[in-house]
Amino acid sequence: MKSSVQILAAAVLLAGCATAPVSFQGVAPPGLETAYRCAVAQLNLMDYNIEDGNMEAGFVRGRKQTSGVVQELFLGAAYVDVLTATVFDNPATGNTHIRVVASRVADHDIGVVMGLDDDEEQGENQIAPSDSGKADAQRLLTNCGVVAVTGGSAPF
């Protein structure tokens, strides 16, 4: 028979796994700059707001709000999908790779009266990526010429 400590530890472990980002990747047509520009274009086409990026470093991050006003009022949080695309060359093979990490955050600073909140800032909590965020990550890779998408698990 399992002790309550073992059950609690298992629950904490499972909760941690459920909130982990999910990573997808694959080999793209050659060219870091081309792969980077494609990732930026795909994020824009899918209505993600680019919040950070650097072509020389080979990454771009976009956010897209996925919750509506009614959800925000009842749930007390705004939900945002976050995609981070990284492009890099593998020196061993010479292939250009694209990795996309899908995550989701809940911004708990939403007030009950149309965004008015006098309480202290609560910040964002990372939660499990949405199905639409994971689909967007795969779509970005496919639309940038990745034929064999792998992944769908935590990137760490």
Side-chain angles (χ1 to χ4, degrees):
M1 186 169 204
K2 292 186 178 187
S3 73
S4 59
V5 171
Q6 288 174 319
I7 293 171
L8 180 60
V12 169
L13 180 63
L14 287 174
C17 292
T19 62
V22 175
S23 177
F24 301 92
Q25 67 180 349
V27 176
L32 281 174
E33 186 175 335
T34 301
Y36 179 83
R37 289 183 188 280
C38 182
V40 170
Q42 290 304 309
L43 287 171
N44 282 315
L45 288 169
M46 293 185 289
D47 294 325
Y48 282 79
N49 294 318
I50 305 299
E51 72 170 10
D52 197 6
N54 184 304
M55 187 161 49
E56 286 76 32
F59 83 97
V60 61
R61 182 175 30 255
R63 296 168 67 99
K64 178 168 70 171
Q65 185 163 337
T66 57
S67 58
V69 173
V70 174
Q71 287 177 306
E72 291 173 15
L73 290 175
F74 285 108
L75 300 175
Y79 292 90
V80 178
D81 284 335
V82 180
L83 294 185
T84 304
T86 308
V87 298
F88 58 96
D89 282 332
N90 180 338
T93 63
N95 292 329
T96 299
H97 291 258
I98 303 176
R99 176 185 302 125
V100 182
V101 176
S103 59
R104 192 173 195 207
V105 294
D107 183 354
H108 295 284
D109 294 325
I110 303 299
V112 176
V113 183
M114 297 305 290
L116 299 176
D117 190 352
D118 292 333
D119 293 338
E120 184 176 319
E121 292 290 314
Q122 297 177 34
E124 294 182 338
N125 292 332
Q126 185 171 336
I127 58 177
S130 68
D131 290 339
S132 63
K134 291 186 278 189
D136 286 347
Q138 293 176 339
R139 186 176 309 115
L140 184 152
L141 290 168
T142 301
N143 290 345
C144 287
V146 174
V147 177
V149 174
T150 61
S153 61
F156 310 109

